[in-house]
Amino acid sequence: MNSISIEERLEANRESMSPAALRVTRFLVEHPERALMATASEIAEAAETSTATVVRAVQTLGYAGLPGLRKDIGERLAGHYDRRTRWEDRFTRVSADPKSVLDSLLHDATDLMGEMRSADHDEFLAAVKLLADADVITFFGWGAGGTMAEYAALGMVRLGSSATSVVQSGYLLADSLSRLQPGSAVVVLAPLLHLHEIDVVLSRASAVGAHCILITEVLGEKLRAMVDHVLTLPSSQRFTVSENLALLLVLDALLLGVAVSNPDRARSTWEVINEVRGAFSTESIGSRRLGLTSSDD
């Protein structure tokens, strides 16, 4: 992998670049997953400039052409998929002082959340409607994403939805996929890694007529044709915070969106939950342990 990042190349050549070339470079820095697959004309359209300017900007950054740029971006993205490499990268961005670590994380978290303001709101609202109308919702996640899937499913259940989470991989995944039904909603949590399980889930969902939402940083363009909606997370690669922070915020937003869509159902479900929780109160448990019943009063 080339040791000089695109960000470093930008800073080294900033003064010699035109405003249009700077727009091209900012696009490459902020959207590496799109730049990895985009043509020169597509990059030009995104940066509101000409194809010739894109080529000149890429050469100014020190690449012979787009193939060399794509190779560098691909190697860097692949490096972030390696958890050890990702953690080592985060280590190098902060000092050993715990206070500095906290300050760095808080600073980056603020910047990351600021980038989330540019999310596609129409896509988000469409995803909320799909979930609010679905008879059954299944969240799929693996690794840390599995924990997020369990969190989201529990949240939906507490809003009155029929929801479940699936974290199995390999052959064990088949049992859960066999229960997918037409019209159900499938939410795949895949911030970075393109696991084979994702393709299997999306293919099965398509086969049975289930609707799909993909939440991801880098897989949106690659898998867009296989899903109904893509909720794109801001790139976490430039920050010390975990990619799961943005994922958690999006899941919370979906939960709140579904609650707002049907507040009466959410309230009544919580009333039932609180009523059932009453059976586990300290007084009730204490009475049972003492062998007391209503006839003892």
Side-chain angles (χ1 to χ4, degrees):
M1 183 189 299
N2 197 312
S3 60
I4 305 176
S5 68
I6 297 178
E7 291 91 337
E8 291 173 312
R9 293 168 185 264
L10 168 60
E11 291 305 320
N13 296 281
R14 183 184 293 276
E15 294 183 0
S16 64
M17 300 180 77
S18 68
L22 286 172
R23 290 200 302 274
V24 171
T25 307
R26 282 197 296 270
F27 173 83
L28 299 176
V29 170
E30 296 173 4
H31 306 284
E33 68 282 356
R34 291 176 60 188
L36 184 62
M37 295 175 284
T39 64
S41 60
E42 289 170 339
I43 296 173
E45 181 178 358
E48 299 180 343
T49 187
S50 66
T51 301
T53 299
V54 171
V55 174
R56 287 196 296 271
V58 169
Q59 292 174 341
T60 300
L61 291 174
Y63 298 101
L66 275 177
L69 171 69
R70 292 195 186 99
K71 182 176 183 296
D72 194 7
I73 291 176
E75 289 175 345
R76 293 181 185 281
L77 287 177
H80 283 288
Y81 295 156
D82 183 330
R83 292 301 177 187
R84 188 195 68 176
T85 302
R86 172 64 170 150
W87 272 100
E88 288 180 351
D89 179 63
R90 295 175 72 189
F91 292 159
T92 61
R93 300 188 191 194
V94 296
S95 70
D97 178 18
K99 184 177 183 301
S100 298
V101 171
L102 179 60
D103 287 344
S104 178
L105 284 172
L106 292 174
H107 181 273
D108 277 5
T110 300
D111 288 347
L112 182 69
M113 288 185 283
E115 290 193 6
M116 294 184 71
R117 293 183 180 277
S118 62
D120 188 330
H121 287 72
D122 290 338
E123 192 82 331
F124 172 77
L125 291 175
V128 168
K129 186 177 188 310
L130 192 159
L131 295 176
D133 294 342
D135 294 329
V136 180
I137 305 170
T138 306
F139 291 87
F140 289 86
W142 299 271
T147 302
M148 295 292 184
E150 292 172 340
Y151 165 80
L154 176 60
M156 285 296 178
V157 168
R158 289 175 171 175
L159 297 176
S161 299
S162 177
T164 187
S165 59
V166 177
V167 300
Q168 292 87 359
S169 59
Y171 285 117
L172 292 176
L173 181 59
D175 299 290
S176 299
L177 291 179
S178 68
R179 296 193 292 271
L180 288 183
Q181 299 294 323
S184 60
V186 167
V187 185
V188 175
L189 313 183
L192 293 171
L193 286 171
H194 188 179
L195 302 173
H196 179 57
E197 281 78 0
I198 295 172
D199 296 330
V200 175
V201 169
L202 296 181
S203 295
R204 179 61 184 173
S206 176
V208 303
H211 301 292
C212 294
I213 298 170
L214 173 67
I215 306 179
T216 184
E217 281 189 29
V218 300
L219 302 178
E221 296 302 316
K222 188 174 185 180
L223 301 177
R224 186 173 295 276
M226 301 179 69
V227 300
D228 295 274
H229 304 290
V230 175
L231 302 183
T232 303
L233 305 173
S235 175
S236 62
Q237 298 170 67
R238 294 175 291 113
F239 301 108
T240 53
V241 295
S242 167
E243 66 271 13
N244 292 313
L245 175 60
L247 177 57
L248 176 61
L249 291 173
V250 169
L251 290 174
D252 265 350
L254 289 173
L255 289 170
L256 284 171
V258 170
V260 170
S261 299
N262 198 336
D264 292 337
R265 184 179 68 175
R267 291 191 188 99
S268 63
T269 301
W270 268 110
E271 288 175 1
V272 173
I273 291 173
N274 286 334
E275 180 182 346
V276 175
R277 283 179 174 178
F280 297 96
S281 67
T282 303
E283 183 178 351
S284 298
I285 294 173
S287 297
R288 289 198 299 275
R289 284 176 177 172
L290 292 172
L292 299 177
T293 63
S294 58
S295 61
D296 295 314
D297 293 338

